[in-house]
Amino acid sequence: MTALDALVRLCPPPAVPPPAVDWAQAERALGTALPSDYKQLVEAYGDGIFDETIWLLVPDSAYDDCDLHAQTVEREEILTDLWEMGEDKPAGLLEAGARVLPWAFEEGTGAFLYWLARPGQHPDQWTVLYNEGRGPLWEAHDTGCLAFLLAVLAGTAETDYFGHFYEVLKPTDHRFETADETLGASRR
């Protein structure tokens, strides 16, 4: 069973498939290819939120908060300012040419999930970094985004974060809500 199959069993995707993504255009806009597990995730779920906790970013979302491109630009600006003010970069970013790209964020915390994109590394080898958002702490996970998301929802992720999810929500039936369902009808 693939990670996507396991996630679909754990947390069913929307009954109506999300809009198709022009991956070539999305990758041109970002200046990089994207991981295949992320593409599978977006094609199955689209923009929205898993268990009222993890928002998935997608290319060309009707909502800026869920738009991969808009959030990439915003996060680059914010992180650049923080690092110029002296906040420490995660160790993986000390390598010349390494960068982070956001793919999800945690509801209500300011925390983001990123890929650590290293020069010369295929996107399918990118790993996940969690940044607490309102502080300098970063947590590295040696896995792709789909496997990490599955581990968080299944309660098997080795992480110091997602306390509200594990301690308060404690979902037994997992749910995905589209951005349209959660935020109201979009401009699509």
Side-chain angles (χ1 to χ4, degrees):
M1 178 184 316
T2 68
L4 181 61
D5 293 335
L7 182 61
V8 165
R9 269 194 182 162
L10 182 68
C11 184
V16 176
V21 172
D22 181 342
W23 290 111
Q25 170 58 29
E27 291 172 336
R28 273 193 305 277
L30 288 171
T32 185
L34 292 166
S36 59
D37 67 335
Y38 169 73
K39 292 176 183 179
Q40 293 172 346
L41 189 58
V42 168
E43 288 169 356
Y45 292 90
D47 54 359
I49 187 168
F50 290 88
D51 288 339
E52 302 176 11
T53 302
I54 300 174
W55 283 93
L56 181 62
L57 304 178
V58 302
D60 300 319
S61 171
Y63 306 96
D64 285 346
D65 285 350
C66 298
D67 184 69
L68 179 66
H69 302 103
Q71 288 302 315
T72 297
V73 169
E74 183 177 306
R75 300 312 307 164
E76 284 176 353
E77 291 172 0
I78 289 169
L79 292 173
T80 297
D81 288 348
L82 289 171
W83 293 330
E84 286 175 357
M85 291 188 302
E87 188 171 296
D88 290 336
K89 287 184 179 183
L93 286 179
L94 299 178
E95 178 181 356
R99 68 189 267 211
V100 291
L101 294 164
W103 60 270
F105 66 92
E106 186 179 5
E107 172 69 20
T109 66
F112 270 79
L113 291 162
Y114 295 90
W115 291 292
L116 174 57
R118 292 189 159 122
Q121 188 178 48
H122 190 278
D124 288 346
Q125 296 173 323
W126 292 352
T127 57
V128 170
L129 289 175
Y130 178 99
N131 176 244
E132 67 179 341
R134 293 189 177 106
L137 300 180
W138 291 77
E139 186 178 78
H141 297 274
D142 192 21
T143 188
C145 65
L146 182 52
F148 182 76
L149 177 61
L150 176 60
V152 169
L153 296 182
T156 61
E158 294 183 21
T159 178
D160 289 332
Y161 298 100
F162 298 102
H164 180 75
F165 181 74
Y166 293 128
E167 296 160 14
V168 178
L169 294 178
K170 300 179 193 177
T172 54
D173 292 324
H174 298 277
R175 183 164 183 228
F176 178 82
E177 293 178 71
T178 67
D180 284 348
E181 290 170 329
T182 304
L183 302 173
S186 72
R187 303 177 300 275
R188 288 186 203 164

